[in-house]
Amino acid sequence: MESAHTIAERVARDSYGRLLAIIAARSGDIASAEDALATAFRAALEHWPNKGVPDRPEAWLVTVARREISRDRRHEHVIDAATSELLLRLDERLAATSEGLPDRRLELMLACGRPEIDRQARTALMLQAVLGLDAKRIANAFLVSPAAMSQRLVRAKKSLRSLDRGFELPEADVLPARLDSVLAAIYAAFGAAWDDAHGGESQTSGLSGEAIWLGKLIVELLPDEPEAKGLLALMLYCEARRPARRDKDGRFVPLREQDWRTWQRDLVEHAELLLRDAAALGRPGRYQTEAAIQSLHVTARQTGQMPFAALTALYDVMAAHWPSTGVLVSRAAAYGEAGAIGVALVQLDGLRSGDIESYQPYWVTRAHLLSKAGRTDASAAALTRAIGLTSDPGLRSFLQDQAASR
Amino acid sequence: MECVLIFHEPMSEFAKRTDPDQREAYWGAWSAYIGAMAEAGVMTHGNGLQAPQTATSVRVRGGDRDVQDGPYADSKEQLGGYVAVQVTSLEDALEWAARSPAAASGTVEVRQVLPANKAELEAA
């Protein structure tokens, strides 16, 4: 028989976002909902050990939290005995009906993607509202001052509250852009604490687990959206390779040297399935395209041969429609792998100096290409630049060893 | 905005400076880091400092002078150097701080510089 404390903890862990979404949905006021839910959890820890855990603990918590909000008693966070009795009877009535708690998390996530919210704040807000992450944890991942991150979150919640509209599903014509914003925010969480595209992501301060969780949720909530599947597939491919990124001595291993048999097969298979399902929906997009590129790496290992024509073609699609610095650098790397060194270097030369002056993957790629082109001095200079821009010490030693061996 | 990055390193890092097996990697990492900052056009000035044991600390209290051999504080991490950077946001400064070799073994303190002229100073 689980203790009241254990049950409360489990509910907090598994259902936080679901409960918060329900409580905040009417008003759009996340901050008040957070406070009310915290009060409800405190009340649970006070009353459940004495009165017993209710049959439907989530419903009990929602009821208490809603009561907190409507009562608007900011200074008294105590539930008196009479109220507690009332709540238990209410709980019994709820248990007697077969009414389940609605899932308002889709509305909550889509609200976090609103244009009124500062782009930088959307990811943080989603992580805090749906997963209950604190500002410090989020600040660590994004290398931001914790106080600044807290302020960002406060402002974001104020923006939502001031709309005074509650969380409704956006109209059909607005949904695609809003979904795009949500997916971008999830991807930003995934990419936080990554040193560069080639690997070096922090185990503890990264948010890849949380991003994948949110990705799975959005796929579940929107099963007919191929880009949601594409994004999840992309993240799963990357996550699958985690065990291969470090060798047994903890040293960094680049993609081309990884033992693909250590890639997590269940994640790869899930990703492949998602990609197939997405393609069947017939609406290609950037995440599906990126995931398709990842799928080629799997194919390359299985067959022993990278399909270079397909790889460069997919990167050309990325570059044509979503030409971010990261995409353009990765494309050049791909062309380099395909043997088109000259073309790849020209592609790199086309990037603006402002965009690449502190972008580590550019310099790693450039160094590699120059080396293949036989331009050793220029390659060494680029490699030194890459080293100076690397924050992961494991990746830095790897690059330094490379420099030393030339 | 101008910020200063103050690099604090543990004694094990200072030891690398003169260790024949470790010094190439140590100086290589620092030189690459400073070079990258310079080439990105963010560094205004900076200096590496000689080891903490070579420091001398001065206090004047009342009329009395006290001169001590050694650094200001007897802490596990000691001041190894500093760099002033011109950046658009604190976050940019934090990113540069995270890239330094000191971040991996020690701590980098980032602080905004006080404005130079009196009016700005009073307004701050």
Side-chain angles (χ1 to χ4, degrees):
Chain A
M1 177 75 186
E2 280 182 299
S3 76
H5 209 274
T6 312
I7 294 175
E9 266 176 17
R10 179 169 45 76
V11 171
R13 195 180 51 242
D14 298 342
S15 308
Y16 181 82
R18 182 188 276 270
L19 298 180
L20 189 82
I22 293 168
I23 297 159
R26 227 174 263 159
S27 61
D29 187 345
I30 292 177
S32 297
E34 285 172 330
D35 289 345
L37 189 51
T39 299
F41 272 110
R42 272 198 299 277
L45 289 174
E46 246 182 74
H47 292 263
W48 292 359
N50 305 326
K51 308 283 176 124
V53 178
D55 287 332
R56 298 179 61 233
E58 280 101 340
W60 192 95
L61 289 162
V62 168
T63 307
V64 171
R66 277 188 171 146
R67 198 167 273 273
E68 260 306 288
I69 287 179
S70 63
R71 200 183 351 191
D72 201 41
R73 277 161 61 169
R74 291 202 189 91
H75 300 292
E76 285 184 297
H77 296 286
V78 203
I79 311 284
D80 60 34
T83 311
S84 175
E85 226 13 75
L86 258 170
L87 288 168
L88 278 172
R89 277 191 255 136
L90 173 66
D91 174 63
E92 284 161 35
R93 248 188 298 143
L94 275 172
T97 76
S98 55
E99 184 195 317
L101 284 177
D103 192 347
R104 305 296 297 273
R105 287 176 299 180
L106 179 59
E107 289 93 319
L108 175 60
M109 287 184 75
L110 290 171
C112 291
R114 289 194 80 109
E116 291 88 348
I117 299 180
D118 195 34
R119 182 191 301 272
Q120 287 193 312
R122 290 173 201 162
T123 306
L125 186 57
M126 212 176 291
L127 289 167
Q128 184 158 95
V130 182
L131 289 172
L133 293 191
D134 63 29
K136 170 89 172 78
R137 173 100 172 77
I138 303 170
N140 280 350
F142 288 103
L143 212 53
V144 166
S145 133
M149 183 57 78
S150 289
Q151 273 173 28
R152 211 176 269 180
L153 284 162
V154 166
R155 273 200 299 273
K157 290 171 198 169
K158 279 206 174 108
S159 299
L160 276 182
R161 190 180 67 217
S162 69
L163 291 173
D164 203 24
R165 227 181 289 159
F167 298 150
E168 304 153 341
L169 284 173
E171 300 292 328
D173 57 335
V174 171
L175 182 60
R178 189 76 68 78
L179 176 62
D180 220 45
S181 165
V182 168
L183 295 180
I186 296 174
Y187 195 31
F190 186 75
W194 274 74
D195 207 358
D196 75 299
H198 304 282
E201 187 245 357
S202 161
Q203 294 275 6
T204 49
S205 56
L207 293 167
S208 52
E210 285 80 0
I212 287 173
W213 198 99
L214 289 172
K216 284 181 177 165
L217 180 60
I218 205 89
V219 165
E220 194 188 305
L221 295 169
L222 291 172
D224 296 325
E225 288 298 335
E227 278 289 82
K229 295 186 205 292
L231 175 61
L232 181 55
L234 171 59
M235 294 192 291
L236 290 173
Y237 280 121
C238 293
E239 188 61 21
R241 297 197 296 263
R242 184 193 289 273
R245 280 202 280 270
R246 303 278 155 163
D247 68 15
K248 53 176 169 52
D249 301 316
R251 304 183 75 256
F252 171 76
V253 182
L255 177 58
R256 61 181 172 275
E257 288 169 34
Q258 287 173 13
D259 179 4
W260 71 288
R261 286 158 305 185
T262 60
W263 296 351
Q264 295 170 79
R265 176 168 301 170
D266 54 337
L267 298 183
V268 173
E269 282 175 2
H270 190 184
E272 303 269 80
L273 260 171
L274 283 162
L275 200 49
R276 209 161 19 251
D277 289 348
L281 290 163
R283 278 179 285 142
R286 68 160 297 175
Y287 298 115
Q288 291 167 82
T289 311
E290 276 198 70
I293 289 170
Q294 294 297 317
S295 182
L296 286 184
H297 285 295
V298 176
T299 306
R301 298 309 173 93
Q302 288 168 342
T303 62
Q305 172 79 298
M306 168 60 86
F308 283 119
L311 182 68
T312 51
L314 284 171
Y315 269 114
D316 286 341
V317 169
M318 292 292 302
H321 297 281
W322 310 286
S324 65
T325 307
V327 162
L328 295 175
V329 169
S330 299
R331 178 176 68 156
Y335 269 83
E337 292 300 309
I341 310 292
V343 171
L345 280 167
V346 167
Q347 287 169 350
L348 285 188
D349 288 341
L351 288 162
R352 284 186 323 186
S353 67
D355 292 335
I356 49 87
E357 66 190 11
S358 55
Y359 187 57
Q360 194 257 24
Y362 171 89
W363 296 98
V364 171
T365 305
R366 190 173 184 83
H368 192 63
L369 292 171
L370 288 169
S371 170
K372 280 192 166 173
R375 292 165 56 184
T376 18
D377 288 347
S379 174
L383 187 52
T384 301
R385 185 90 177 247
I387 290 165
L389 294 169
T390 301
S391 23
D392 182 273
L395 185 49
R396 183 165 49 225
S397 335
F398 172 79
L399 294 172
Q400 279 187 286
D401 289 345
Q402 253 186 18
S405 68
R406 291 195 184 167
Chain B
M1 65 197 293
E2 197 178 1
C3 290
V4 174
L5 276 50
I6 304 161
F7 305 114
H8 302 269
E9 296 173 281
M11 292 313 294
S12 54
E13 285 295 297
F14 289 104
K16 289 180 181 177
R17 292 178 174 191
T18 47
D19 180 335
D21 291 327
Q22 307 212 63
R23 68 177 170 215
E24 206 172 306
Y26 176 87
W27 290 118
W30 275 107
S31 141
Y33 173 63
I34 301 295
M37 271 199 279
E39 289 188 70
V42 299
M43 186 170 84
T44 49
H45 61 274
N47 281 299
L49 300 176
Q50 298 198 20
Q53 312 87 282
T54 66
T56 316
S57 297
V58 176
R59 286 180 185 81
V60 179
R61 299 276 190 277
D64 293 332
R65 298 167 175 187
D66 179 28
V67 182
Q68 301 270 357
D69 290 317
Y72 160 63
D74 186 20
S75 51
K76 271 193 282 199
E77 290 174 7
Q78 292 286 341
L79 181 54
Y82 64 92
V83 165
V85 293
Q86 191 68 238
V87 287
T88 42
S89 69
L90 177 63
E91 274 155 46
D92 285 347
L94 294 180
E95 263 184 52
W96 279 110
R99 291 173 179 134
S100 77
S105 59
T107 308
V108 183
E109 186 175 330
V110 179
R111 273 206 241 172
Q112 204 176 336
V113 163
L114 276 174
N117 77 58
K118 193 159 182 272
E120 276 178 56
L121 184 62
E122 279 163 4

